Amino acid sequence: MPYRAPVEDYNFLFDHVVSLEPLRQTERFAEATDDVTRAILTEAGKMCDEILAPLQRNGDLHPAHLENGVVRTSPGFEDGFKAIADGGWVGMAAQPEYGGMGLPMALTAAVGEMMSGACLSLQLAPLMSQGQIEALEHHGSDEIKALYLPKLISGEWTGTMNLTEPQAGSDVGALTSKAEPNGDGTYSITGQKIYISWGDHDFGGNVCHLVLARLPGAPEGTKGISLFLVPKFIPDEDGNPGKRNGVNTVSLEHKMGLHGSPTCVLEYDKATGWLVGPEQGGMAAMFTMMNNARLGVGGQGIGVAEAAFQHALAYAKDRRQGRTSGPEGSILGHADVRRMLSTMKADTFAARAIAASNAVAIDMAKATGDKAWKARAALLTPITKAFGTDTGIAVADMGVQVHGGMGFVEETGAAQFVRDVRVTAIYEGTNGIQAMDLVARKMMDGGEAAMALLDEIEADVEAAREVFPRLATDVWNATESMREATEWLVAQSDLQNRFAGAVPYLHAFARVLGGHLHLKSAMADRGGAREKMARFYIQRMLPEHAALLAHAQAGAEDLYALSADELAA
C-alpha cells in the first residue's frame, strides 16, 4: 500500500504538544517560522511519498551486492539519494556558512523519521552523513571543514562512522586499528572495521570515513583512541576525488533485513587519514556523531512503526473474516484487532512526541547555552533511542499479527518491517546500554534533570485537572511513582542494582512521558480523535509503569543467584 508521511501529525505536534515557539524566540532559529516549518514538512512529505516509498520493496527484493570490488546498490536508490541531496535534506541542520540550512534539529528529526518510514535502507545514507557533518563542525580543523563540509552537506560526498571491529563491538576500547604518523600531518591507518552502514556505494563522489584508531604509545582502552578522517579517494589540489586511498570493501554482511543498505567490512591498509580533534580525543569527538545518530535511530524506529501501522490498518479495512461488530464489516470490528491497531497508533504517537521533545531540547541548548536544556537533551537521548526503536519493533511485530497468516507471507510486505527495524535496537549502542547510560551517567547529577522534568509534567497535569480529572489524576500518580523510583535509584551506591532494573526503568519513564504528552494532545483536541487516543493510552497503557517500576527497584541479587551451570540445567 502507499505510504503517507505523517505531515499533519507533526504540524499538530509542533503547534500544540511540543511547541517550537521557544525556538523561534531565539536568534539562532528565528527564521524557523510556522510558515517555513509547514512548507518544509510538506515538501519533505511529498518526496517521501512519491520518490522514496516506491523504493522500499526494491531494496528488500534486490539487495545491494559486491561485484568485482564495487558495491552495486538497489534499483532506484541512486535516484532516490539524488532527490534527497538535491532537496537539501542532508544539510538541514548544518551551518549555513558551509551550505547548510541551519534549521532546528526538531525539523531534521521529523524529516528523518518520515524518510525512515518511506524507505529505511536508503535513509541510513543521509543519516550517516548528518552525523559526520556535526562531528566535523565541532572537531574538524578549519582546513577539513572548508574542504569536506560543503561536499557532505550537498550530498556530493557521503559520510560514515567506523567504530566496530570483530573483537570490539560495544567494548570500543578493545579496538586494534593503528594510526602511524607520516611526518607530513597525515597518518597511515591500518585495521579492519565491520558493520559499516553505507561504507561504500556506486553513487559516485567520495565516501568519507570517520575511523577510530590508536596512535603509537597511546594507552589501552577508550582513553587512548583518536579519530581520523579517511576518504575513499584522496582529494587533489582542487578538492576533487583523486588517487584511490588504501581502504577497500572486503565483503557485505548478509543481514536479516535492511537489504538495500550495504553494510560493509572495510579493510584499511596504510590508508591516508587526517586527525579530527586532539590526539586521544577520539571518543569525545565520535560521541558528537553518535548522539546525533541516537536521536536519528530512535526516529528510524518510529518511522517504521508509522509505516507498519498504516500497512496493517489498510489490510484490516479490507479483510473480511468472521462475525464482527460495527459498521465496517471487516476485521476492524473485532475487539482484539481494534486493541492492536489502537496500541500501535498510541505508542507511535508517544514515541514521536518524546523524540520531538528531545530534539527541541537539543536545539534550545544550542541556541541558549543553558545547562538545564543540555541536561534535558542528555536525559531524553537514551529514552528516545531505546523506546523509539523498541516501539518500532513491537508495532511492526503487531502489524504481522493483524495480517494473520498473510503477515507471515513475504508478498504482503508486513514481515519486511520487522526484519528491517530489528537492528535499530542493536546499533548505535544497544538498548540495554542506553538504559545503563540513563541510570548511571545521566543520574550523576543526583537525578536533578529527571526531577526537573517530572516537575514540569506535574505542572501541566495540574492545568488539565479541571478538563480531564481522571486522566490528569492517572498521569499525576504515575509521575509520583516515577519520582519515588528515581529517588530509590540515585540512592543506590552499587551500580549493579541500578543496571539490573535499567531497562524497565527506562520504559517506565517513557510510559510516563507518553501519558503526559498524550494528555497535552487531548487538551488541544477536546472531543476529537486525539482525546480518544489519549484516553486509550492513559487508561490502558500507562498502568504498565507500575509493574515496570517494581522490576526496576528489585535490585540485582536475584539476577546473580543462579550460577552459569544452573542457568544451563
Side-chain angles (χ1 to χ4, degrees):
M1 61 149 281
Y3 168 79
R4 186 185 73 255
V7 174
E8 287 309 311
D9 278 3
Y10 267 110
N11 284 332
F12 176 86
L13 193 66
F14 290 145
D15 285 345
H16 302 292
V17 183
V18 185
S19 176
L20 297 187
E21 283 307 312
L23 289 180
R24 294 164 181 153
Q25 300 305 313
T26 67
E27 181 180 354
R28 180 163 185 162
F29 297 119
E31 295 182 5
T33 63
D34 182 64
D35 288 345
V36 168
T37 297
R38 289 176 180 274
I40 286 170
L41 292 174
T42 298
E43 289 305 310
K46 287 179 182 177
M47 177 192 66
C48 291
D49 297 352
E50 298 171 7
I51 299 175
L52 302 189
L55 302 176
Q56 166 80 349
R57 290 296 283 165
N58 280 355
D60 196 51
L61 298 175
H62 306 286
H65 62 281
L66 191 61
E67 182 181 277
N68 298 323
V70 177
V71 174
R72 301 297 183 189
T73 52
S74 302
F77 271 39
E78 182 175 3
D79 290 339
F81 185 78
K82 187 176 186 302
I84 295 170
D86 289 350
W89 304 115
V90 178
M92 288 181 66
Q95 295 174 0
E97 64 183 292
Y98 296 107
M101 294 186 188
L103 290 167
M105 182 59 69
L107 290 180
T108 301
V111 173
E113 188 224 299
M114 293 192 291
M115 288 197 290
S116 299
C119 184
L120 180 56
S121 287
L122 182 55
Q123 187 269 347
L124 265 169
L127 179 67
M128 294 293 97
S129 291
Q130 287 167 345
Q132 185 170 119
I133 288 165
E134 186 166 5
L136 294 181
E137 285 179 343
H138 284 82
H139 304 286
S141 66
D142 289 343
E143 293 78 12
I144 284 177
K145 288 192 282 190
L147 174 58
Y148 285 87
L149 284 178
K151 296 181 184 296
L152 289 166
I153 289 168
S154 70
E156 182 181 348
W157 294 359
T158 61
T160 74
M161 59 177 171
N162 288 226
L163 292 79
T164 308
E165 299 181 4
Q167 79 294 339
S170 297
D171 183 12
V172 178
L175 66 79
T176 59
S177 292
K178 298 178 180 180
E180 298 278 350
N182 289 328
D184 60 357
T186 66
Y187 295 81
S188 181
I189 314 298
T190 300
Q192 187 181 87
K193 298 291 183 177
I194 63 173
Y195 303 152
I196 309 307
S197 297
W198 283 94
D200 201 4
H201 55 73
D202 54 0
F203 294 170
N206 207 348
V207 184
C208 309
H209 306 291
L210 281 180
V211 184
L212 291 178
R214 204 180 306 277
L215 287 163
E220 296 298 312
T222 56
K223 292 182 179 180
I225 296 173
S226 300
L227 182 65
F228 301 87
L229 179 60
V230 185
K232 177 180 177 180
F233 297 101
I234 299 173
D236 62 21
E237 293 180 356
D238 298 320
N240 298 314
K243 175 184 172 185
R244 178 67 188 256
N245 208 350
V247 53
N248 290 288
T249 301
V250 176
S251 63
L252 299 187
E253 305 290 1
H254 298 282
K255 301 172 296 184
M256 173 180 174
L258 284 182
H259 296 151
S261 170
T263 304
C264 302
V265 176
L266 297 180
E267 190 74 37
Y268 292 86
D269 183 11
K270 297 181 179 179
T272 300
W274 286 261
L275 184 68
V276 175
E279 292 186 3
Q280 299 179 34
M283 287 305 294
M286 187 60 87
F287 265 113
T288 301
M289 187 175 186
M290 288 178 67
N291 283 328
N292 178 300
R294 283 169 178 170
L295 173 64
V297 171
Q300 290 181 335
I302 299 161
V304 174
E306 176 65 41
F309 165 73
Q310 291 184 23
H311 203 75
L313 178 61
Y315 180 82
K317 283 180 176 179
D318 290 338
R319 176 67 167 163
R320 264 68 175 166
Q321 188 79 9
R323 282 188 172 183
T324 64
S325 301
E328 294 88 357
S330 70
I331 62 172
L332 266 178
H334 290 303
D336 191 55
V337 174
R338 285 285 181 137
R339 176 193 63 81
M340 289 189 285
L341 290 168
S342 296
T343 298
M344 294 162 79
K345 187 174 181 66
D347 241 4
T348 300
F349 175 85
R352 178 178 291 136
I354 291 169
S357 301
N358 192 170
V360 167
I362 291 171
D363 289 327
M364 289 299 292
K366 288 181 179 178
T368 67
D370 189 329
K371 291 182 179 179
W373 279 115
K374 184 176 181 180
R376 172 71 58 85
L379 179 76
L380 289 175
T381 294
I383 299 174
T384 296
K385 194 276 182 181
F387 184 67
T389 56
D390 282 343
T391 296
I393 294 166
V395 169
D397 180 69
M398 209 170 290
V400 171
Q401 192 72 14
V402 170
H403 280 76
M406 292 304 295
F408 204 66
V409 176
E410 285 288 352
E411 283 77 5
T412 64
Q416 184 184 345
F417 295 121
V418 181
R419 291 185 288 100
D420 283 355
V421 78
R422 186 59 185 84
V423 72
T424 61
I426 298 171
Y427 60 30
E428 304 310 330
T430 67
N431 286 0
I433 288 174
Q434 302 301 317
M436 292 168 68
D437 176 52
L438 176 64
V439 302
R441 186 178 289 111
K442 299 306 188 293
M443 295 293 169
M444 289 176 66
D445 62 354
E448 182 179 341
M451 294 302 186
L453 181 52
L454 297 176
D455 288 344
E456 188 175 302
I457 292 173
E458 291 185 346
D460 285 343
V461 170
E462 280 299 325
R465 277 194 190 278
E466 289 189 10
V467 181
F468 300 119
R470 179 185 169 183
L471 299 183
T473 298
D474 288 348
V475 177
W476 175 277
N477 290 339
T479 306
E480 280 297 294
S481 296
M482 198 74 222
R483 188 185 300 278
E484 292 169 6
T486 302
E487 290 171 349
W488 178 90
L489 188 80
V490 297
Q492 303 304 304
S493 57
D494 184 350
L495 282 180
Q496 291 304 324
N497 284 332
R498 299 191 191 190
F499 293 156
V503 168
Y505 176 84
L506 183 149
H507 274 268
F509 215 138
R511 277 281 167 259
V512 173
L513 289 170
H516 168 228
L517 295 162
H518 266 290
L519 183 60
K520 291 184 72 173
S521 175
M523 287 289 287
D525 188 32
R526 301 178 196 181
R530 297 179 189 278
E531 179 195 323
K532 296 170 186 175
M533 187 54 60
R535 289 187 181 280
F536 176 88
Y537 184 94
I538 293 170
Q539 294 172 7
R540 292 176 180 264
M541 300 177 71
L542 178 61
E544 294 173 6
H545 84 279
L548 290 166
L549 289 180
H551 186 170
Q553 297 174 84
E557 184 177 354
D558 59 341
L559 290 185
Y560 292 92
L562 290 172
S563 68
D565 289 340
E566 288 171 325
L567 281 171

